[in-house]
Amino acid sequence: MNATALHEGIKAAYEDVAYVGRPNHHSHVDRIAAIATLFGLSPPDPARARILEVGCGDAANLLPMAARFPGARFVGCDYSALLMGQARAMAADLRLSNVEFVEGDLRDVAASLGTFDYVIGHGFYSWVPTDVRNAFVAMLGRQLAPGGLGFVSYNALPGCFIRRIGWDALRLAVAGIPSARDRLAASRRELRDLADAWSSMPGVPGHLGREYGAAADRSDSALYHDDLSAMNHAVYFSSFVQEIGRQGLGFLAEAELGTMSMAGLPERMRALVAEADPLAREQMLDFARVRRFRQSIVARTADVQRAGLVPSAVTRLHLSAVTGVVQKRSSGAERSVEGPLIDLLVDAYPASVPGAEAIEHLQRRGWTSDDARTTVVRGCFSGAVDLHASPLPLVTRASARPRIPALARWQAARGDSVTSIRHAPVRVDEANARALVIACDGTRDREALVRAAAMTASDAGEVVDHYLERFASAGLFEA
């Protein structure tokens, strides 16, 4: 396939099966800024920054950030006219005046976009042709403002060597099938048959069976644009670092700090990793864990060279419990050494707690100031604690007239997934629940909400209260 046909084929794929975007918690600029602060940098204030998302699709990831930070300027860029149309319609309906969309090939439009404090490339780098990928990395080096930060997610080796077995099997199974719907149907049949065969076997096949058994139930969008994608470029971390290094950029940290930990590795491997320099350490961890996906924060080389963990920075940040930790704690999971810290954050969930308050909480329980800060940092790198540059603007209980952000109410009117204030997707499957989300605009009390949700049963008030509790625990109510 020549280059032109490849580009047109990728564009056509997004027209055949529309890509359904989702918010990516780890790519939120507030979290990126918080991690950079922990590493001793002074990142641009997200509330006043200029932010670009490349390959933004329908802007499901970008627009919630634009709604949260009305004083910042956002630009979304994508190749698909269909997806750009959907993004513009959503922004117009929500009256978001701080966002603009640029439709076009990044190779053609990059230079005209200007400079940015934050550049997000989620689900882009590994899924575009080589020349577009090169244009993206060059743009990062050229147009990232001084002190700026980039977020790049990508498929990683060696883990994707294993996953490629399934990719190749699917591509062979759908070869020659012209219809997108027929390709999806054939791929689902193939996935289930392979998963059944693999699941009864030990080792790698058994792992593949578990992974692809779940993949058979993925959405059309995810299956078509990932497993069946014409482009799926996986790269070793060390190669990625070399590539961005040629543009004057370096690796700062993973957006998911818990993946940088040595937890769970055998003692000998831990010793080897501990002796390595930071970049070699990351590559060794990828081999040890057979990693297949990364979400890396990058910065200019000079900023990376002067970066280093600053535990005292946690007093300027805000902390929250990772959702998975809350779920484990509710099921009675074993407490960790960070127990008192996690207790505090779980009790506050889904809201955040000022870092200074968390330090004081530990000091009242006998920690020294240094030990308390170290405990917080350890919680971040254990994957239990999320960092935020600013407090999450939410409340944990429904008020007399509860209010859900306009963006989530807009989404509830059109589908069964809404975006929480924690920048995570929340499923709202029931029609009554969606009606209730739409009705929570800050003007209705409980009785009015019952009427708006069209609930007529004798226990309608109790049902509404149940839903409101669910919405609160999911982080849907704004302060």
Side-chain angles (χ1 to χ4, degrees):
M1 180 182 293
N2 62 42
T4 300
L6 179 61
H7 283 276
E8 291 303 317
I10 292 173
K11 184 176 183 179
Y14 284 93
E15 307 294 324
D16 290 340
V17 179
Y19 183 82
V20 179
R22 291 160 54 92
N24 176 17
H25 173 67
H26 298 291
S27 73
H28 199 290
V29 289
D30 187 80
R31 292 194 74 255
I32 296 170
I35 291 172
T37 300
L38 182 65
F39 278 83
L41 301 182
S42 299
D45 180 0
R48 295 191 295 272
R50 184 168 166 80
I51 298 149
L52 168 70
E53 182 169 14
V54 173
C56 70
D58 60 7
N61 189 52
L62 188 70
L63 287 176
M65 289 187 268
R68 177 171 171 183
F69 296 126
R73 296 298 302 174
F74 292 82
V75 177
C77 177
D78 202 278
Y79 195 30
S80 168
L82 174 65
L83 297 178
M84 285 284 86
Q86 293 173 352
R88 288 191 180 101
M90 184 177 181
D93 287 350
L94 295 171
R95 299 180 181 177
L96 294 175
S97 59
N98 61 335
V99 60
E100 62 180 295
F101 294 101
V102 178
E103 179 187 327
D105 189 322
L106 186 66
R107 296 170 300 172
D108 301 326
V109 304
S112 67
L113 296 175
T115 59
F116 296 90
D117 300 305
Y118 294 89
V119 175
I120 300 167
H122 175 53
F124 185 81
Y125 175 94
S126 286
W127 297 271
V128 294
T130 301
D131 52 353
V132 179
R133 185 166 58 251
N134 291 342
F136 169 61
V137 176
M139 186 212 68
L140 271 176
R142 183 178 62 246
Q143 293 166 243
L144 195 63
L149 298 161
F151 171 97
V152 186
S153 67
Y154 51 99
N155 279 335
L157 297 173
C160 281
F161 280 129
I162 297 174
R163 191 162 174 81
R164 183 174 175 176
I165 296 170
W167 293 339
D168 288 349
L170 288 183
R171 288 167 188 157
L172 284 172
V174 302
I177 300 176
S179 161
R181 293 299 162 190
D182 290 344
R183 288 165 64 85
L184 282 165
S187 66
R188 291 190 190 282
R189 290 193 298 271
E190 182 75 4
L191 279 174
R192 292 190 176 96
D193 290 345
L194 287 172
D196 286 346
W198 286 330
S199 295
S200 62
M201 303 168 68
V204 171
H207 172 79
L208 283 169
R210 290 187 296 274
E211 180 163 329
Y212 278 100
D217 296 321
R218 295 173 71 190
S219 68
D220 286 351
S221 170
L223 185 59
Y224 200 73
H225 298 295
D226 187 356
D227 298 282
L228 290 177
S229 175
M231 275 302 310
N232 213 322
H233 174 73
V235 63
Y236 281 112
F237 168 76
S238 56
S239 298
F240 174 77
V241 169
Q242 291 172 5
E243 185 177 3
I244 63 172
R246 290 191 287 269
Q247 303 297 332
L249 303 168
F251 169 79
L252 178 66
E254 279 298 290
E256 193 174 359
L257 289 176
T259 64
M260 300 177 72
S261 165
M262 295 185 292
L265 295 180
E267 183 176 349
R268 176 57 184 159
M269 177 58 72
R270 290 169 63 93
L272 288 172
V273 172
E275 294 170 358
D277 67 71
L279 295 180
R281 170 192 173 112
E282 287 296 309
Q283 184 61 80
M284 291 176 71
L285 285 172
D286 283 4
F287 279 114
R289 295 209 168 97
V290 198
R291 186 168 183 162
R292 63 178 179 83
F293 186 69
R294 272 187 169 268
Q295 302 181 87
S296 297
I297 299 173
V298 305
R300 296 212 171 274
T301 302
D303 291 331
V304 172
Q305 289 174 341
R306 64 185 180 84
L309 272 178
V310 181
S312 62
V314 299
T315 60
R316 306 196 304 274
L317 300 172
H318 298 262
L319 320 175
S320 72
V322 171
T323 302
V325 170
V326 177
Q327 295 168 341
K328 289 180 181 177
R329 178 60 61 86
S330 65
S331 66
E334 183 179 351
R335 291 162 57 88
S336 68
V337 69
E338 301 94 1
L341 171 66
I342 302 306
D343 288 343
L344 173 69
L345 300 183
V346 168
D347 287 344
Y349 185 88
S352 57
V353 172
E357 181 180 317
I359 297 300
E360 292 172 2
H361 175 80
L362 294 177
Q363 287 179 299
R364 287 195 295 271
R365 283 153 181 77
W367 269 257
T368 67
S369 176
D370 286 346
D371 285 346
R373 292 166 180 169
T374 299
T375 297
V376 172
V377 172
R378 186 165 56 234
C380 296
F381 282 92
S382 73
V385 176
D386 268 338
L387 289 174
H388 312 272
S390 56
L392 288 167
L394 59 82
V395 293
T396 58
R397 287 182 175 82
S399 66
R401 286 177 168 78
R403 178 178 173 84
I404 290 175
L407 185 141
R409 288 185 278 117
W410 185 95
Q411 292 172 321
R414 293 160 178 81
D416 58 7
S417 180
V418 303
T419 301
S420 75
I421 297 170
R422 291 180 62 88
H423 202 63
V426 177
R427 296 285 294 182
V428 187
D429 294 319
E430 306 96 328
N432 284 340
R434 290 195 294 274
L436 188 58
V437 169
I438 297 166
C440 286
D441 61 1
T443 68
R444 295 178 172 89
D445 61 14
R446 292 296 201 282
E447 291 183 5
L449 289 174
V450 170
R451 292 193 299 271
M455 296 184 190
T456 58
S458 59
D459 63 345
E462 295 177 8
V463 174
V464 165
D465 286 341
H466 170 71
Y467 281 137
L468 294 180
E469 288 179 8
R470 278 179 49 189
F471 298 164
S473 65
L476 288 181
F477 291 129
E478 59 186 357

